[in-house]
Amino acid sequence: MNRLNSSLLLGALGIAACASLFATASAQSSAKSPAATARLDHRELAADQQVIHALNRLSFGARPGDVQKVRAIGLDKWIDQQLHPEKIDDSSLDQFMKHYSVLYEDQNQLLQEYAIAQRDRKQVKRAAGDTTQTMISRRDSMAFQQTGLKRRQVGGQLASSRVARAVVSNRQLDEVMTDFWLNHFNIFVQKGPPEAYYLAEYERDVIRPNALGKFRDLLEAVAKSPAMLFYLDNARSMADTSRPRLTSFDRNPRRGGGNPAAGALGGRARRPNGTIGRPGRGAIGGVLGGVGGQTGQMGQMGRMDPARPDQVRQRVKQLKNGGLNENYGRELLELHTLGVDGGYTQQDVINVARALTGWTIKPPATGGGFVFRPEMHDAGEKIVLGHKLKAGRGMEDGEDVLDIVSRHPSTAHYIAEKLVRHFVSDDPPKALVDQAAAVFTKTDGDIREVVRTIITSNEFFSQQAFRSKVKSPFEVVVSAMRAMDAQPDSTPRTAQAIAYLGQPIFGHQAPNGYPDTGDAWMNAGAILN
């Protein structure tokens, strides 16, 4: 970007920040919609204000000529188009996204290459006596450097592409909703080396396809994503030693049978009733290897060597002494569905975590990916929010939990309130929250119809809502670029500018995501920046 454009951008940023054109919005839905409201339509805003308001809230800001285009189409029709992004041509974005070549590579393959390179490097150091003067060949050294560079490229392109999509895409409401859900189901990219690879798939295959779909589908896609399983530690969660498991493990490392390469013990998994499971599912190679690459109790990446009884015994001990991790179970209830005041108890948290034991990840050295491990699953009876889950079941325990929480009245209210806060006001009008929650329940969590209800409401088009929300740093930078009709930036620089303003992309460490209220961003330091 040349000096003139840089100056214009700084000016536009200042104007955008001072003007507080910070929101997102929309207009009237079609009467044929199943969520169409029966209330008398009364939009307080004048026609031109409605267009400006809709462009500020339903997009990342107007580009030159957008106001005229919306007027020509008709505001209601434009809103309906934005609610159906699959019908909007976005070929210009598709063309630009070719700049992000690493994101289009197989992320599982990249993760596998990185994990194997890291394992090989550790083996070389160990063979050299763990000294700093290790004997690493030039070829191996270059290979290590290349895999490290690829990992950094994945992280950089992830952040840069988020900005580029928001700037260029014609499917602006879809981008706004993708940003909303990525923040709602927040993940911290610095959790560990594999997270960047997992996040590429997470944004592309989990969040974007479900941003305006059914909430239950979105929730399950998140629950099975390696990115979330790794971030909130569910990949390492297993039944406590006092609990029954779907399959037991063979504690004798010298007992034969099966394929040693497929399961570290080389034996067959024994079910609690004494019957024999499938060969090659030796619990240690299949279970502890499945969460390789994480720090903490689960240890190192890859598979252990079945010829080393000491390794086998160590992994057996880890499995035997492994326990329940409540992180994801707690955040599923508190942040993803019911909300902190949603009516659940600590016992519900524990039982949700128990129901989700065995939902884990394949070893990074084999490419990662979701897998259910029966050896880790707590097969005992559970009660979640008053619903009994019978003993002896497997993956369906977790799926039933997702059914229960996604259809709970507290979830309808919590999601509705967050959406109303995002689109209308930092102080969400109760009547609109109640109406949106009712639509959520009636449509079985149809996000499109809930959003339609909110952005076509009287409250949305009220004077009180007009220009009432403060933009986050991401919204400030993107809206300034759109106002200037600037070309998107395929380098990391624009994303770095957003980080400098206080909102690094995928950089919020806690699972609650960045705040969506103005008081979090309107402070002396932020204004000075």
Side-chain angles (χ1 to χ4, degrees):
M1 185 180 292
N2 61 35
R3 184 172 297 178
L4 175 60
N5 282 343
S6 298
S7 300
L8 287 172
L9 176 57
L10 288 173
L13 286 170
I15 292 169
C18 294
S20 288
L21 298 177
F22 280 63
T24 8
S26 165
Q28 187 73 338
S29 76
S30 107
K32 295 180 181 179
S33 164
T37 177
R39 294 194 302 167
L40 180 65
D41 175 48
H42 177 66
R43 299 180 179 180
E44 292 180 355
L45 299 179
D48 282 352
Q49 288 180 322
Q50 291 179 33
V51 173
I52 293 170
H53 188 57
L55 283 168
N56 280 337
R57 299 289 175 90
L58 297 187
S59 77
F60 285 106
R63 291 177 295 193
D66 278 357
V67 171
Q68 291 78 8
K69 289 177 183 177
V70 173
R71 284 178 185 157
I73 297 172
L75 179 57
D76 293 351
K77 185 174 181 181
W78 178 81
I79 290 171
D80 191 65
Q81 287 178 351
Q82 289 294 318
L83 283 165
H84 296 88
E86 69 281 359
K87 299 179 181 179
I88 300 174
D89 175 58
D90 223 5
S91 54
S92 56
L93 173 63
D94 295 337
Q95 187 66 27
F96 185 81
M97 288 300 294
K98 293 179 181 178
H99 288 89
Y100 301 106
S101 56
V102 175
L103 295 185
Y104 282 91
E105 294 186 40
D106 186 332
Q107 299 300 306
N108 289 338
Q109 178 67 30
L110 293 179
L111 174 60
Q112 183 177 19
E113 292 171 1
Y114 177 81
I116 291 173
Q118 293 299 103
R119 182 190 64 193
D120 291 347
R121 188 171 191 175
K122 289 179 181 178
Q123 290 175 348
V124 170
K125 286 186 175 181
R126 202 181 299 110
D130 234 353
T131 66
T132 55
Q133 301 296 323
T134 57
M135 300 298 294
I136 301 178
S137 71
R138 181 178 178 83
R139 187 182 66 178
D140 288 343
S141 178
M142 290 180 64
F144 296 149
Q145 292 177 10
Q146 185 63 26
T147 56
L149 175 62
K150 272 287 181 73
R151 188 178 69 83
R152 290 191 295 273
Q153 285 179 328
V154 171
Q157 290 191 10
L158 266 173
S160 176
S161 65
R162 277 278 300 280
V163 182
R165 284 180 176 277
V167 171
V168 175
S169 179
N170 295 319
R171 301 169 178 175
Q172 280 289 293
L173 179 58
D174 196 40
E175 288 302 314
V176 169
M177 288 304 301
T178 296
D179 184 68
F180 175 86
W181 291 122
L182 283 170
N183 199 53
H184 179 81
F185 297 108
N186 179 66
I187 288 175
F188 180 50
V189 70
Q190 297 297 332
K191 165 75 174 182
E195 195 66 272
Y197 302 103
Y198 294 149
L199 272 170
E201 178 190 42
Y202 183 69
E203 179 180 340
R204 183 190 65 230
D205 299 334
V206 173
I207 300 297
R208 287 190 176 279
N210 295 295
L212 285 167
K214 290 281 191 175
F215 181 75
R216 171 63 176 78
D217 296 338
L218 173 60
L219 193 65
E220 180 168 349
V222 169
K224 291 180 177 178
S225 66
M228 186 61 73
L229 290 168
F230 182 79
Y231 173 56
L232 289 180
D233 303 313
N234 202 78
R236 69 167 77 182
S237 182
M238 63 181 71
D240 288 331
T241 55
S242 61
R243 307 297 308 176
R245 304 189 186 192
L246 280 183
T247 58
S248 63
F249 52 88
D250 190 336
R251 292 177 172 82
N252 187 345
R254 298 190 179 279
R255 189 169 294 163
N259 178 6
L265 292 182
R268 298 189 179 194
R270 296 182 179 271
R271 300 189 179 95
N273 62 6
T275 60
I276 305 298
R278 291 180 295 171
R281 284 301 295 267
I284 307 306
V287 179
L288 293 178
V291 288
Q294 300 183 65
T295 57
Q297 64 184 19
M298 303 316 293
Q300 63 203 51
M301 290 185 286
R303 300 167 183 260
M304 64 178 148
D305 183 359
R308 294 275 306 276
D310 57 326
Q311 285 189 7
V312 175
R313 291 192 186 95
Q314 181 184 4
R315 294 292 181 98
V316 169
K317 184 178 179 180
Q318 287 176 325
L319 179 63
K320 181 180 177 181
N321 297 331
L324 192 67
N325 190 301
E326 298 175 12
N327 287 355
Y328 178 57
R330 183 178 306 281
E331 306 307 351
L332 175 65
L333 297 178
E334 180 177 327
L335 296 177
H336 297 174
T337 57
L338 278 68
V340 67
D341 299 319
Y344 62 89
T345 66
Q346 172 60 20
Q347 198 59 41
D348 288 318
V349 171
I350 293 171
N351 284 332
V352 166
R354 289 175 57 212
L356 290 165
T357 49
W359 291 45
T360 187
I361 310 170
K362 297 175 185 176
T366 64
F370 171 78
V371 65
F372 177 72
R373 302 287 192 193
E375 303 93 330
M376 300 171 71
H377 184 66
D378 185 329
E381 180 182 279
K382 310 163 189 75
I383 297 178
V384 175
L385 297 167
H387 297 262
K388 182 181 290 187
L389 307 180
K390 294 180 180 180
R393 306 194 315 160
M395 190 169 168
E396 56 267 44
D397 276 352
E399 291 172 339
D400 281 359
V401 164
L402 298 180
D403 284 340
I404 292 165
V405 299
S406 65
R407 289 161 185 155
H408 196 280
S410 293
T411 298
H413 184 273
Y414 179 64
I415 298 300
E417 186 174 53
K418 285 197 72 171
L419 286 167
V420 173
R421 180 181 295 111
H422 186 75
F423 284 109
V424 180
S425 170
D426 286 359
D427 185 17
K430 184 180 183 303
L432 182 56
V433 171
D434 291 344
Q435 185 187 12
V439 172
F440 186 101
T441 300
K442 181 180 178 181
T443 62
D444 196 23
D446 191 318
I447 299 167
R448 189 193 327 270
E449 294 309 323
V450 175
V451 172
R452 187 195 298 275
T453 298
I454 294 168
I455 65 179
T456 61
S457 65
N458 297 336
E459 290 88 345
F460 178 79
F461 285 107
S462 66
Q463 289 289 347
Q464 186 177 4
F466 188 55
R467 292 182 174 176
S468 67
K469 282 193 68 71
V470 174
K471 290 180 182 176
S472 68
F474 184 88
E475 293 166 330
V476 167
V477 172
V478 172
S479 62
M481 293 183 73
R482 286 177 60 82
M484 292 170 54
D485 204 18
Q487 292 299 307
D489 179 14
S490 60
T491 76
R493 287 175 294 184
T494 304
Q496 288 168 355
I498 296 170
Y500 175 74
L501 293 174
Q503 193 183 14
I505 298 169
F506 294 120
H508 190 75
Q509 188 169 2
N512 59 345
Y514 288 111
D516 197 17
T517 54
D519 57 356
W521 304 112
M522 293 301 291
N523 56 71
I527 293 171
L528 181 62
N529 285 337

